[in-house]
């Protein structure tokens, strides 16, 4: 009787433990990948949100014009012109405080305005008309009504901004030909209309731009009437 020997095989089976290890490895890798993708997405969303909020903050102005824009007439060497323009601003509802530390003051004696020594002003006023542009013109501020005594324009406060195009000599009558004089660049680096510039005349258009350190700018555009009075409400 013949005996048949079973044929030996070289195949090896995969055990359940090895299969489990492989599956666990796949799950771990997939989890790490998913976490990375999710984290990247959340980070990108947060950065996008910050960018949007920053853009809104830049375009949102805390400055709100209040009342009239008033121009003051003076004689400059025998020609009637405008030496000062004033307007009132307040803080918009919910707006951030605006630093209105002024580079000049005006006390109504001697010549006005006077340099505010050591003032670190951050808000800049620029001026332009059809003949010239001045990126940093002298301005002073008077606080109206209730305020807390600091230089920040906060909700509920009002401030009158006076922009000085010429120097006013208060010892002279406003109708005198020497009541005003041209500017020269001073230690603040600001100046109004220089002797080489062109003074404002009847029917001239001009623009003032108040640029705070943060937020949108406030632009004031007006035209002078065909007749210049001592004090004019430029509507």
């Amino acid at each position: 009787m013949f005996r048949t020997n079973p044929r030996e095989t070289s195949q090896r089976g995969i055990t359940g433990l090895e299969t489990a290890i492989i599956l666990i490895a796949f799950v771990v890798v997939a989890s790490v990948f998913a976490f990375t993708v999710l984290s990247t997405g959340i980070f990108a969303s947060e950065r996008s949100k910050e960018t949007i909020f920053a853009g809104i903050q830049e375009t949102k102005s805390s400055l709100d014009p209040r009342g009239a824009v008033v121009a003051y007439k003076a004689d400059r060497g025998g020609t009637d012109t405008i030496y000062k323009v004033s307007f009132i601003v307040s803080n918009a509802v919910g707006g951030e405080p605006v630093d209105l530390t002024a580079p000049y003051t005006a006390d109504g004696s001697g010549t006005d305005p006077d340099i505010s020594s050591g003032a670190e002003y951050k808000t800049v006023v620029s001026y332009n008309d059809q003949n010239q542009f001045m990126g940093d013109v002298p301005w002073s501020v008077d606080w109206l009504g209730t305020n807390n005594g600091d230089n920040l324009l906060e909700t509920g406060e009002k401030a009158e901004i006076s922009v000085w195009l010429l120097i006013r000599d208060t010892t002279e009558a406003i109708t005198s030909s020497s009541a005003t004089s041209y500017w020269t660049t001073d230690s603040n680096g600001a100046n109004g209309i220089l002797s080489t510039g062109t003074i404002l005349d009847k029917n001239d258009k001009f623009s003032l731009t108040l640029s705070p350190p943060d937020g949108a700018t406030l632009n004031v555009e007006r035209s002078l009437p065909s007749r210049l009075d001592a004090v004019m409400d430029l509507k």
Side-chain angles (χ1 to χ4, degrees):
M1 187 174 182
F2 297 97
R3 179 179 295 177
T4 303
N5 293 325
R7 184 170 54 184
E8 295 182 357
T9 178
S10 61
Q11 295 181 349
R12 299 176 57 192
I14 299 177
T15 65
L17 179 59
E18 292 171 329
T19 303
I21 293 173
I22 293 173
L23 290 176
I24 292 172
F26 273 118
V27 171
V28 170
V29 172
S31 299
V32 171
F33 179 75
F35 176 78
T36 302
V37 172
L38 182 61
S39 299
T40 303
I42 294 174
F43 176 75
S45 299
E46 288 296 323
R47 293 302 299 270
S48 298
K49 184 171 67 174
E50 291 174 4
T51 302
I52 292 172
F53 285 158
I56 294 174
Q57 184 66 24
E58 284 298 315
T59 56
K60 177 184 176 183
S61 177
S62 293
L63 293 171
D64 193 12
R66 296 284 184 178
V69 176
V70 181
Y72 296 84
K73 182 185 79 170
D75 188 311
R76 168 81 292 273
T79 302
D80 286 341
T81 187
I82 301 303
Y83 77 94
K84 182 176 74 169
V85 178
S86 298
F87 55 93
I88 298 173
V89 295
S90 66
N91 193 296
V93 176
E96 293 294 324
V98 179
D99 189 342
L100 290 184
T101 300
Y104 294 83
T105 60
D107 57 9
S109 65
T111 58
D112 278 335
D114 306 305
I115 294 177
S116 183
S117 179
E120 296 181 359
Y121 66 103
K122 300 178 181 178
T123 297
V124 176
V125 178
S126 60
Y127 168 92
N128 72 280
D129 58 30
Q130 61 268 34
N131 298 307
Q132 60 213 317
F133 171 78
M134 296 174 286
D136 187 4
V137 291
W139 62 278
S140 58
V141 60
D142 289 307
W143 295 91
L144 309 177
T146 302
N147 64 86
N148 59 9
D150 61 17
N151 291 321
L152 296 177
L153 180 65
E154 299 168 310
T155 301
E157 298 181 341
K158 294 183 178 66
E160 182 181 41
I161 305 295
S162 295
V163 180
W164 298 82
L165 302 178
L166 296 170
I167 297 175
R168 167 78 169 104
D169 186 350
T170 62
T171 64
E172 299 282 346
I174 198 67
T175 54
S176 169
S177 61
S178 57
T180 60
S181 58
Y182 291 110
W183 278 88
T184 56
T185 303
D186 55 34
S187 58
N188 272 344
N191 64 264
I193 297 175
L194 305 173
S195 57
T196 56
T198 304
I199 57 177
L200 282 174
D201 201 354
K202 297 180 289 292
N203 299 315
D204 282 349
K205 296 180 180 179
F206 67 91
S207 175
L208 298 170
T209 302
L210 195 154
S211 303
D214 298 304
T217 60
L218 175 64
N219 188 255
V220 176
E221 295 182 352
R222 290 295 188 273
S223 296
L224 295 180
S226 57
R227 178 183 129 180
L228 300 184
D229 295 323
V231 179
M232 293 166 286
D233 180 354
L234 303 180
K235 300 188 181 295

